[in-house]
Amino acid sequence: MFNQPLRFLPAPGEPRVDQTPPEVRTSRRRLRACHECDWLVALPPLRSGQRADCPRCGHILATRHHRPAQRSMALAMAAMVALLLAISFPFVSFSVSGFGNRIELTQTATTLIGFDQPLVAIAVIMTIAVLPGIYLLCVMWLQLGLLQGQPLPASRGIARALAHLNPWMMADVFIIGALVSLIKVADLAQIELGISFWAFCAFALLLLATTQSIDSDWMWFSLAGEPLAPEGARTGATAAGQGLTGCPTCGLVNRLEADGRGYCRRCGERLHARLPHSLQRTWALIAASALMYIPANVYPIMTTTSLGHSAPSTIIGGVVELIQMGSWPVAVVIFVASVIVPVGKLVALAWLCLVVKRSDELNASNRTRLYRLTEFIGRWSMVDVFVVAILVALIRAGSLMSITPGPAALAFAAVVVLTMLAAMTFDPRLIWDTPLPRDSRETQGTTE
Ligand SMILES: [Zn+2]
Ligand SMILES: [Zn+2]
């Protein structure tokens, strides 16, 4: 790997992939601006297994993997095979007093369309199969080019898309939803897990491993080299204070236009010193999701018909029912995912928006940690929506026993999506935007 001659930036129109790690090849300093606190730092040389954290807020700047292209390619191919198996075989079957039903994975979405819930159906199928499928194809396309030493067409656009797809893939959340639904009906009917259930579990794990394996610092270096850092950039100070910003997709530090905007020189992503109207947008999304949380709790999320008797149940009603059945652990899972997480997330984001102007260096780390938590937990609220999708598709035995979705399912799915968007529009760098004491400004930093 290291004995090939050093090659320099590819000539225009003739992209070549350099398999040498960036730090071996380049003698220039590689600058990065932390996405969470905007601190400008020089990346140290990284060996495989090492990672670089921001010295100010602890955000991970880069992680170096051993043989990143081979690793991502192998994991993506395995995940794709597992996904294909998961959609081709029976997922789970149930039977009660001689009546039974067997469903495939995709029926968890298609059955919802039959009950006039097309938006929930789209949310389910997109997050568990379509977006992960697209993501895996993108990873394979990119890594194939990198392995051959010649990026395939559209590689840069695809590499940019990968970062945007990431938060919307929810295969792991769906597994929790499936387990909760099976425990919910285990007392009432006989449940049998199909091949596809196990294939889907493998798929969810492999997908997680694939997303973790992407070494985007190495990938962007291999796709497009490392253009020189802007002249006069000083490390140990904020990027915005010097008219610079770090690209949110490829990490390259760019100089912004006078109006605080620009495009990344390496990947073409739109750049802003700070996300435009971050606080206003976050407030609007918080308000919208708080409003949607009302119908999500007032209306029934599903209606269970058993021996001709229909019983609608709300989210809280479902938790109470589970406690009465004695399924404490499942009740806790649903209560945390459907009540604690969305409400906690809304309160935390609203609080961050309120106090962001009064942040200082002392409390900024804790506030950034709180922000990271709200960003991380948001998608786990989808558990209850997946439970509805699975039960509605599976429990179909006419008047003997059947489950239909309620209006709260759509309202609750909207709450999840809106709170996720609210966390994305909040710019954590605002927490750190506070004037530094004069003496520390003078002593810190070196000039490039
Ligand atoms: Zn930082
Ligand atoms: Zn970029």
Side-chain angles (χ1 to χ4, degrees):
M1 198 171 181
F2 297 104
N3 52 12
Q4 49 183 273
L6 299 188
R7 274 188 256 121
F8 287 89
L9 280 180
E14 189 214 343
R16 295 286 311 168
V17 172
D18 197 325
Q19 299 279 344
T20 326
E23 35 285 323
V24 174
R25 226 204 60 172
T26 178
S27 57
R28 65 182 66 136
R29 283 207 303 167
R30 305 198 310 125
L31 296 188
R32 290 294 176 267
C34 174
H35 294 322
E36 291 189 349
C37 73
D38 210 30
W39 207 239
L40 205 62
V41 290
L43 275 188
L46 294 173
R47 276 198 291 272
S48 56
Q50 289 185 324
R51 65 170 213 225
D53 292 349
C54 169
R56 194 192 195 194
C57 75
H59 176 65
I60 300 171
L61 298 169
T63 310
R64 179 71 65 251
H65 293 301
H66 182 59
R67 294 183 177 274
Q70 285 91 333
R71 186 192 177 102
S72 300
M73 186 69 169
L75 285 166
M77 281 167 66
M80 198 56 165
V81 171
L83 175 62
L84 291 175
L85 287 175
I87 54 176
S88 342
F89 290 97
F91 188 63
V92 59
S93 58
F94 101 113
S95 60
V96 55
S97 323
F99 290 91
N101 188 22
R102 196 169 70 175
I103 58 161
E104 286 172 7
L105 186 68
T106 46
Q107 279 173 274
T108 54
T110 50
T111 315
L112 285 169
I113 298 175
F115 287 103
D116 294 326
Q117 294 279 2
L119 290 175
V120 185
I122 290 171
V124 170
I125 199 69
M126 289 302 262
T127 51
I128 65 166
V130 177
L131 294 180
I134 294 174
Y135 182 91
L136 293 173
L137 288 175
C138 288
V139 171
M140 287 193 260
W141 182 263
L142 275 176
Q143 308 300 348
L144 186 67
L146 294 179
L147 284 170
Q148 288 179 342
Q150 186 89 29
L152 297 174
S155 282
R156 288 192 211 192
I158 287 172
R160 242 175 32 217
L162 283 190
H164 297 291
L165 279 174
N166 220 335
W168 302 104
M169 302 190 294
M170 303 188 188
D172 41 359
V173 185
F174 188 80
I175 296 279
I176 304 295
L179 292 175
V180 167
S181 359
L182 298 183
I183 294 172
K184 262 186 142 174
V185 294
D187 288 351
L188 313 168
Q190 253 154 356
I191 299 291
E192 228 173 282
L193 301 174
I195 299 174
S196 154
F197 180 85
W198 300 110
F200 194 84
C201 290
F203 160 68
L205 289 176
L206 287 165
L207 180 66
L208 204 63
T210 310
T211 56
Q212 302 282 320
S213 77
I214 301 287
D215 184 343
S216 76
D217 182 54
W218 176 85
M219 189 174 72
W220 277 107
F221 183 85
S222 306
L223 283 174
E226 174 94 12
L228 272 178
E231 253 174 68
R234 278 189 319 127
T235 55
T238 62
Q242 309 174 55
L244 306 171
T245 199
C247 170
T249 302
C250 75
L252 188 76
V253 172
N254 289 270
R255 188 164 292 288
L256 290 165
E257 308 287 328
D259 61 354
R261 292 155 192 262
Y263 289 92
C264 177
R265 289 171 290 155
R266 179 156 71 168
C267 72
E269 187 75 80
R270 272 188 91 129
L271 303 175
H272 306 277
R274 295 290 176 266
L275 293 178
H277 310 295
S278 167
L279 292 183
Q280 289 95 320
R281 285 186 190 180
T282 309
W283 274 124
L285 287 161
I286 289 173
S289 44
L291 267 180
M292 291 306 277
Y293 197 63
I294 299 169
N297 276 286
V298 170
Y299 289 106
I301 194 156
M302 60 185 165
T303 302
T304 313
T305 306
S306 181
L307 300 170
H309 174 71
S310 294
S313 63
T314 57
I315 292 175
I316 295 291
V319 173
V320 173
E321 246 169 62
L322 281 166
I323 294 173
Q324 284 164 353
M325 278 164 60
S327 317
W328 276 95
V330 188
V332 170
V333 169
I334 292 286
F335 187 71
V336 169
S338 308
V339 182
I340 307 254
V341 167
V343 172
K345 199 173 159 175
L346 287 177
V347 172
L349 277 175
W351 182 74
L352 282 174
C353 285
L354 275 178
V355 300
V356 77
K357 298 251 165 67
R358 292 194 299 278
S359 281
D360 56 47
E361 294 274 331
L362 287 175
N363 55 29
S365 316
N366 285 334
R367 290 178 181 176
T368 305
R369 250 175 252 142
L370 179 67
Y371 169 73
R372 270 177 219 156
L373 186 69
T374 61
E375 209 185 20
F376 172 75
I377 58 175
R379 49 205 279 287
W380 289 94
S381 300
M382 275 298 264
V383 165
D384 224 11
V385 177
F386 290 145
V387 168
V388 173
I390 293 165
L391 289 182
V392 165
L394 183 64
I395 310 298
R396 306 239 58 79
S399 57
L400 187 62
M401 196 181 178
S402 64
I403 290 181
T404 51
L410 177 60
F412 193 74
V415 170
V416 180
V417 172
L418 288 168
T419 51
M420 283 176 70
L421 290 173
M424 287 175 196
T425 52
F426 182 81
D427 193 332
R429 293 174 294 188
L430 296 174
I431 300 173
W432 297 85
D433 277 349
T434 160
L436 286 171
R438 176 172 284 273
D439 49 334
S440 79
R441 219 181 308 171
E442 276 162 7
T443 51
Q444 278 175 333
T446 48
T447 307
E448 169 82 340

